[in-house]
Amino acid sequence: GAEGDLVDLREATGFRGDAHDHIGGVMAERRQLEMDQASIRDLRTRLVEHSREKAQLQGMQQALVERQRHIEQDRNLTLTAIEAERTKVAASQQTRLRMCEERWVLEQELLRHGEAIG
């Protein structure tokens, strides 16, 4: 009867155990599948969070790079202005030196004229 058919079915499918073992295996597989799906959802959520954080950090980095570029540009302009002022100071010092030399020559001439007259 039915028992014989069940035995024949088990032998034909290669099933070696009772239905309870089979159901237990299926339930364990289902629990493992649910755990795997939950793990995948968690990993996807973390991946999205990391992607957002990466985009935010890249935006901050871009802003910092732009700020650094502006600072370097300002620094270069300042250095150029300092160099221009140094050039002006050097020219002014040369002019003063030349004027001092001219004054010294004139003073020497005055002394000679004074000695010649006196």
Side-chain angles (χ1 to χ4, degrees):
E3 280 293 319
D5 290 341
L6 189 55
V7 170
D8 292 341
L9 182 60
R10 284 183 185 151
E11 288 175 1
T13 60
F15 183 73
R16 304 276 186 256
D18 62 6
H20 185 352
D21 289 342
H22 183 66
I23 291 172
V26 169
M27 295 297 285
E29 282 293 318
R30 180 172 293 258
R31 280 192 301 274
Q32 185 62 47
L33 176 64
E34 288 171 357
M35 289 182 353
D36 289 345
Q37 288 173 336
S39 177
I40 288 169
R41 279 192 304 273
D42 181 52
L43 289 172
R44 283 184 177 156
T45 300
R46 288 175 53 197
L47 180 63
V48 168
E49 288 171 6
H50 286 299
S51 294
R52 277 191 206 123
E53 184 179 352
K54 179 181 177 183
Q56 181 182 12
L57 290 173
Q58 284 176 331
M60 290 171 58
Q61 180 184 24
Q62 185 62 36
L64 289 172
V65 166
E66 187 65 20
R67 182 175 172 212
Q68 180 183 13
R69 189 184 69 75
H70 283 292
I71 289 170
E72 287 176 358
Q73 191 175 34
D74 290 347
R75 179 180 174 269
N76 288 336
L77 289 172
T78 301
L79 290 174
T80 300
I82 288 171
E83 189 59 36
E85 286 300 313
R86 283 185 182 155
T87 301
K88 288 178 186 177
V89 168
S92 177
Q93 287 174 339
Q94 287 293 338
T95 302
R96 284 186 60 215
L97 181 61
R98 201 170 41 252
M99 291 174 75
C100 284
E101 289 171 351
E102 288 176 18
R103 188 176 81 205
W104 184 80
V105 168
L106 291 174
E107 287 174 353
Q108 293 299 315
E109 286 182 28
L110 281 175
L111 284 175
R112 278 193 301 255
H113 284 303
E115 289 175 1
I117 296 176

